[in-house]
Amino acid sequence: MVKLACLVLCSLTATCACAEVQTSIRAGSTHSGALEGQRYRIIVSTDIGGTDPDDFQSMVHLLVYTDVFDIEGLISSPFDKGRKRDILQVIDCYERDYENLETYSDRYPTPAALRAITKQGETERAPYAGVRRSTEGSRWIVQCARRDDPRPLYVLVWGLIEDLAQALHDAPDILPKLHVYWIGGPNKKWSPDAYQYIVDHHPKLWIIEANATYRGWFTGGNQSGQWGNRAFVKQHIAGKGALGDFFVSQKGDIKMGDTPSVGWLLKGNPDDPTQPGWGGQFVRAWERPYSRFERMTKKTDRMDVFGILELVLPMGNDVPKQAKAMLAVENQRLPGHAPGDGTLRFRFCPKAAKAYGFKIQSNVPALDGKTGGITAYLPSPDIAQRPTANLPNWWTDDPRLDLAEGSHHGAKTVNQWREDYLRDFSERVIRCQAPCSAETGR
């Protein structure tokens, strides 16, 4: 009878009354966001199933909050072996918990509805041009952006930015409808060409480029007792329904590196990235760092971390008909591009402030075996005082030293909220374990 009473209550309102007491918004908060009743249209583009389990954890987190969003698309955009099936695997867990979840809110989408909006995106990194071909995922972005809805379409990019670049290439008219939050950093190192395409051809895109801020979700902040990365998962996530168990099976501690993009919409002021919120606080972007050398660089050469390095190297004589080359940098093998002007070009994006070594493997005699390097450094905090008019809607990590967690600029603008967003997540994931109780409101 208790469960029936709660079901009746949920059927009378869009959101079960118990959901209202589960938000951890502080009294008197000036924040807005989905937890305050704003409904945002969102598409998530993810490299789930690749080399890092954090996308699985972030997908679990997203799914327990799907009642407060209008989810319009889940796109698999991997640079590795991840595929659409990996998203569907998490939805299978959601289906097992759905009977409990829907007692808290009748706005949880059905598993079938989520499967219907799950699409396969690009599975290869873009060539030098920045775009390759349209995909089911890029076409879905275009279709959703063109819907007759006055609200912006928030595109949360957790991996490669290739499908977004392709959508903008194929349908530039959608640009005014898009608000993008990109977890750059390590993902940017795999998408230098697609990224540079967007900078060069779509500079008015509304985008948050979070290269380091996102690390605050799992680095720093209060990690004592139950708030520690491993302790929190053991105490609050393990055993909480199929989704909770799946979360733990992927990684026994918190990573969730893509979740700040969701946190940005849950609590904060999504229309103004300079304001504080769970997803961080950002500054207007300065000119996007781009370094071009017409020679092989050395480790004594310097560039901005997260910038784009372009090497334009002459091939000399005895060039084969089809010149090929790979630039080996740590775990990457970056293909060279031959534009027909007697050079080979390589683009590289350093994900950390340190020295990198290069080595070329090529069928071009003048380039094969050539070695070099580059040293990436953190930009000075004063750079934020020089926002560029060329990128009027572009935001990035705040380089102020007092907001950095170690070398991670902006991370403290996220981890200052650590107890709030983890407490709220723990209350949400309980929904997977048991139905709403009319007596307790939980």
Side-chain angles (χ1 to χ4, degrees):
M1 293 297 293
V2 168
K3 181 177 180 181
L4 178 61
C6 189
L7 283 168
V8 170
L9 177 62
C10 290
S11 69
L12 293 174
T13 61
T15 304
C16 178
C18 60
E20 297 176 3
V21 301
Q22 292 198 12
T23 61
S24 60
I25 305 298
R26 295 173 181 148
S29 169
T30 58
H31 291 90
S32 60
L35 292 179
E36 290 283 358
Q38 301 294 319
R39 288 198 75 83
Y40 301 106
R41 306 169 60 207
I42 69 171
I43 285 179
V44 171
S45 171
T46 169
D47 58 349
I48 191 169
T51 56
D52 194 330
D54 73 316
D55 285 62
F56 282 113
Q57 291 189 336
S58 291
M59 187 61 69
V60 168
H61 176 275
L62 172 68
L63 290 179
V64 298
Y65 284 97
T66 49
D67 62 316
V68 298
F69 295 119
D70 289 334
I71 308 281
E72 297 196 12
L74 300 171
I75 300 171
S76 169
S77 302
F79 66 84
D80 196 50
K81 57 187 179 180
R83 292 294 183 271
K84 171 181 170 179
R85 62 176 176 269
D86 295 299
I87 300 175
L88 297 175
Q89 183 182 11
V90 192
I91 295 174
D92 288 344
C93 296
Y94 173 86
E95 182 169 38
R96 290 162 58 190
D97 293 336
Y98 181 70
E99 184 177 354
N100 289 334
L101 290 169
E102 67 174 344
T103 68
Y104 294 84
S105 168
D106 64 3
R107 283 192 142 173
Y108 275 106
T110 66
L114 291 175
R115 292 188 183 104
I117 59 172
T118 301
K119 310 295 179 181
Q120 183 60 58
E122 184 56 79
T123 57
E124 298 180 70
R125 49 165 292 182
Y128 183 84
V131 292
R132 182 191 303 275
R133 61 189 165 227
S134 64
T135 67
E136 182 187 30
S138 69
R139 291 190 295 272
W140 190 250
I141 293 173
V142 173
Q143 182 175 329
C144 293
R146 285 177 170 168
R147 285 176 179 157
D148 185 14
D149 192 314
R151 296 173 296 167
L153 178 64
Y154 291 89
V155 182
L156 312 183
V157 184
W158 297 358
L160 293 188
I161 203 165
E162 265 72 351
D163 282 305
L164 175 64
Q166 189 68 51
L168 288 166
H169 172 271
D170 295 345
D173 60 286
I174 70 173
L175 185 146
K177 291 299 293 284
L178 303 182
H179 282 197
V180 179
Y181 188 122
W182 184 33
I183 305 293
N187 293 319
K188 189 176 177 183
K189 93 174 195 179
W190 298 103
S191 286
D193 296 302
Y195 171 83
Q196 197 61 41
Y197 167 79
I198 294 174
V199 172
D200 292 342
H201 297 277
H202 303 282
K204 292 185 179 178
L205 177 67
W206 197 108
I207 181 171
I208 294 173
E209 180 186 335
N211 291 314
T213 298
Y214 73 92
R215 290 183 180 271
W217 199 273
F218 55 90
T219 302
N222 180 10
Q223 300 221 14
S224 63
Q226 65 177 316
W227 307 115
N229 283 342
R230 188 165 292 275
F232 178 82
V233 172
K234 183 177 180 181
Q235 185 169 337
H236 296 289
I237 306 300
K240 304 301 190 294
L243 283 172
D245 286 341
F246 183 78
F247 183 106
V248 178
S249 74
Q250 297 303 306
K251 201 171 191 296
D253 58 348
I254 293 173
K255 181 70 180 290
M256 303 172 71
D258 301 297
T259 301
S261 64
V262 180
W264 166 62
L265 294 175
L266 287 173
K267 180 179 177 182
N269 186 348
D271 293 328
D272 185 355
T274 67
Q275 296 302 305
W278 285 359
Q281 192 169 356
F282 301 89
V283 295
R284 276 279 315 284
W286 50 96
E287 204 67 54
R288 296 294 73 203
Y290 170 85
S291 303
R292 174 187 165 114
F293 290 85
E294 295 185 358
R295 59 172 173 83
M296 175 58 88
T297 51
K298 303 174 183 178
K299 289 185 179 179
T300 52
D301 292 308
R302 287 160 54 84
M303 66 175 291
D304 284 29
V305 66
F306 309 122
I308 300 296
L309 170 67
E310 182 153 357
L311 297 177
V312 181
L313 306 180
M315 292 190 283
N317 301 320
D318 301 323
V319 179
K321 230 179 216 185
Q322 290 190 318
K324 296 180 182 177
M326 288 285 181
L327 182 71
V329 190
E330 295 190 328
N331 65 337
Q332 290 185 282
R333 287 170 57 81
L334 305 172
H337 168 68
D341 62 356
T343 67
L344 267 173
R345 303 184 180 195
F346 303 90
R347 283 188 181 141
F348 167 66
C349 175
K351 73 168 190 175
K354 63 177 187 177
Y356 293 85
F358 302 153
K359 184 172 183 179
I360 293 178
Q361 297 173 331
S362 177
N363 63 354
V364 178
L367 297 180
D368 188 41
K370 190 177 276 289
T371 60
I374 196 79
T375 296
Y377 64 90
L378 293 168
S380 162
D382 327 354
I383 196 77
Q385 304 306 313
R386 302 194 292 276
T388 176
N390 296 329
L391 302 168
N393 305 307
W394 205 293
W395 287 268
T396 193
D397 308 313
D398 191 327
R400 282 169 43 191
L401 297 180
D402 61 316
L403 299 179
E405 193 68 59
S407 63
H408 306 309
H409 282 172
K412 285 184 178 177
T413 69
V414 172
N415 65 32
Q416 66 174 317
W417 306 101
R418 183 177 174 89
E419 290 178 51
D420 286 355
Y421 58 66
L422 290 184
R423 182 181 296 108
D424 201 79
F425 180 37
S426 70
E427 292 171 351
R428 280 266 163 177
V429 82
I430 286 173
R431 298 178 173 195
C432 299
Q433 186 182 30
C436 177
S437 164
E439 280 94 0
T440 64
R442 294 182 58 170

